[in-house]
Amino acid sequence: TQYGVNAADPILHDGQVFVSSGYGKGSGLFKLGGAEPEPIWKSKVLATQMNAAVLHEGHLYGTAGDTTTKAALKCVEFTTGQEKWSHPNFGSGGVVLAGGRLIALSGTGELMTAPAKPDGFKPTATAQVLGGKTWTAPVLANGLIYCRNARGDLVALNVRCP
């Protein structure tokens, strides 16, 4: 990128590596094993500026866009790069996966959970848990979801089953 930044972690799967960056670059899937990685596809459909996408059952789920744009939460087919759905105005938040469910924290602090499905983003729960710039992925540990914003505010939500 123009800033020399590639902040999102790569995803290794089945002899292939998915890499993604913001700043107008996009993403790509490359086959490993030869002298040089071999491109399978490249696209600007999923451009994760800060937080890594997650891979679940052949699909990538992650943010697409920079902090200066109206980034969307998207689902992209891993092997082809084809967009399956887009949830607009998500912002530069992050997403994690647990038990086949997406836990998504928007760029403005809205927490959403939804099944990780390629047929659409259908949240089953939403809550405004923070304000301000919220550019970090949520963390699930021991039945608690931790969310943090750029000011350093931290919330912990108990999601343990009674």
Side-chain angles (χ1 to χ4, degrees):
T1 68
Q2 67 191 38
Y3 302 107
V5 174
N6 192 8
D9 295 330
I11 296 174
L12 295 167
H13 177 70
D14 200 23
Q16 300 169 330
V17 61
F18 169 79
V19 293
S20 183
S21 184
Y23 307 100
K25 289 296 178 184
S27 57
L29 182 66
F30 300 86
K31 182 178 178 185
L32 301 174
E36 295 287 326
E38 179 184 325
I40 297 171
W41 59 262
K42 292 181 183 180
S43 172
K44 291 189 177 185
V45 169
L46 187 59
T48 55
Q49 184 182 21
M50 290 179 277
N51 295 302
V54 294
L55 176 62
H56 179 66
E57 296 181 349
H59 293 87
L60 295 159
Y61 300 88
T63 57
D66 294 344
T67 58
T68 58
T69 64
K70 298 283 187 189
L73 181 63
K74 290 190 176 187
C75 173
V76 172
E77 190 172 28
F78 182 73
T79 57
T80 66
Q82 178 186 2
E83 182 179 312
K84 294 297 185 174
W85 55 256
S86 178
H87 181 73
N89 300 318
F90 181 76
S92 294
V95 62
V96 295
L97 181 75
R101 299 186 62 77
L102 300 174
I103 302 171
L105 182 62
S106 79
T108 57
E110 182 180 19
L111 185 67
M112 298 170 264
T113 62
K117 301 277 186 186
D119 62 349
F121 183 67
K122 300 170 183 131
T124 54
T126 63
Q128 187 70 42
V129 298
L130 287 166
K133 294 178 184 174
T134 310
W135 294 347
T136 57
V139 173
L140 174 65
N142 300 316
L144 298 171
I145 299 174
Y146 296 90
C147 304
R148 180 179 59 86
N149 66 15
R151 292 187 305 247
D153 299 329
L154 176 71
V155 297
L157 302 135
N158 186 347
V159 293
R160 294 181 187 113
C161 293

